[in-house]
Structure formats: structure tokens, C-alpha cells
């Protein structure tokens, strides 16, 4: 997921730099959490909207893993921040009635 809230990473460099590619994450309410249940990434408004579009179609987040950690330097700052980009896996939920998901029919 590349749609992350960049300002979220300010002050979290030490936590993000401990992450390794392939580390498992949990998804909860727009945030990705590490094994200690510490927020390590936050979806942007756009990212939340994209994910909601999928959940509205009957999908749910089943897995998340660290893909990359990279450096971000805002234009108005001399500081660099560590940013976590993750892969989020979705699976079609069981038991969703097609008539419920297709309101236009």
C-alpha cells in the first residue's frame, strides 16, 4: 500500500527502522501494527477510501506484511523520516449475499 499518511511517520523513525521486509503486520482501523501492537503506518484518506471500496464489495483484510522501508524528506524540512510501505492482502468474505452487495439491481 503506497497510500500512507506521510506526516504520521514523523517521530517514528526508530520504530520503522526496526521493521524488515516480510515482517507480519496487523491491520486495524486504518493503521498497520507490528507484533508489539504499536502503530507503524497509517493509511492516507485516499488509501482508506480505496480499501473501503474493496470492503464494500465483500472483501476483508486477511494479511499485511512490510514491503519496503524508505527515507522521506519533506520539502520544508532538512530532516529525513523512515516510511513503511506494506502489502495488504484481501480475501472475499464468506456469507455475503449478492443482493446485499448490489443495491442498484
Amino acid at each position: 500500500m503506497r497510500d500512507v499518511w506521510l506526516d504520521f511517520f514523523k517521530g517514528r523513525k526508530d520504530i520503522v527502522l526496526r521493521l524488515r521486509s516480510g515482517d507480519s503486520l496487523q491491520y486495524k482501523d486504518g493503521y498497520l501494527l507490528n507484533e508489539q501492537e504499536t502503530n507503524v503506518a497509517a493509511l492516507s484518506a485516499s488509501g482508506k477510501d480505496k480499501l473501503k471500496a474493496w470492503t464494500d464489495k465483500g472483501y476483508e483484510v486477511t494479511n499485511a506484511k512490510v514491503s519496503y522501508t524508505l527515507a522521506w524528506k519533506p520539502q520544508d524540512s532538512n530532516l529525513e523520516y523512515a516510511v513503511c510501505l506494506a502489502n495488504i492482502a484481501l480475501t472475499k468474505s464468506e456469507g455475503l449475499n449478492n443482493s446485499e452487495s448490489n443495491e442498484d439491481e
Side-chain angles (χ1 to χ4, degrees), residues 1 3 5 27 29-31 42-55:
M1 172 72 57
D3 290 319
W5 174 29
Y27 174 79
D29 301 325
Y31 294 92
L43 299 185
S44 66
S46 171
K48 289 178 188 177
D49 289 345
K50 288 177 184 177
L51 188 55
K52 184 175 180 339
W54 283 103
T55 58

Side-chain angles (χ1 to χ4, degrees), residues 90-101:
L90 304 170
T91 303
K92 186 77 167 176
S93 298
E94 295 295 324
L96 181 66
N97 187 334
N98 284 338
S99 64
E100 294 175 4
S101 64

Side-chain angles (χ1 to χ4, degrees), residues 3 10 14-15 20 27 29-30 36 39-40 42-43 48 53 58 73 77 89:
D3 290 319
K10 292 180 177 179
D14 59 330
I15 294 169
R20 296 292 175 253
Y27 174 79
D29 301 325
Q36 292 76 33
N39 294 342
V40 296
L43 299 185
K48 289 178 188 177
K73 183 177 173 186
S77 174

Side-chain angles (χ1 to χ4, degrees), residues 4-19 24-43 48 64 66 69 82-86:
V4 293
W5 174 29
L6 290 173
D7 284 342
F8 172 85
F9 295 99
K10 292 180 177 179
R12 290 184 168 82
K13 188 173 187 175
D14 59 330
I15 294 169
V16 174
L17 289 178
R18 288 187 215 136
L19 299 171
S24 292
L25 301 172
Q26 296 176 355
Y27 174 79
K28 185 174 181 180
D29 301 325
Y31 294 92
L32 295 172
L33 293 74
N34 64 9
E35 291 178 349
Q36 292 76 33
E37 298 187 5
T38 302
N39 294 342
V40 296
L43 299 185
K48 289 178 188 177
V66 175
T69 54
V83 173
C84 170
L85 300 181

Side-chain angles (χ1 to χ4, degrees), residues 47-83:
K48 289 178 188 177
D49 289 345
K50 288 177 184 177
L51 188 55
K52 184 175 180 339
W54 283 103
T55 58
D56 287 349
K57 294 177 185 177
Y59 288 84
E60 62 185 1
V61 175
T62 55
N63 188 338
K65 291 187 181 217
V66 175
S67 182
Y68 300 100
T69 54
L70 52 94
W72 166 61
K73 183 177 173 186
Q75 291 180 347
D76 61 349
S77 174
N78 290 329
L79 298 175
E80 282 189 348
Y81 301 97
V83 173

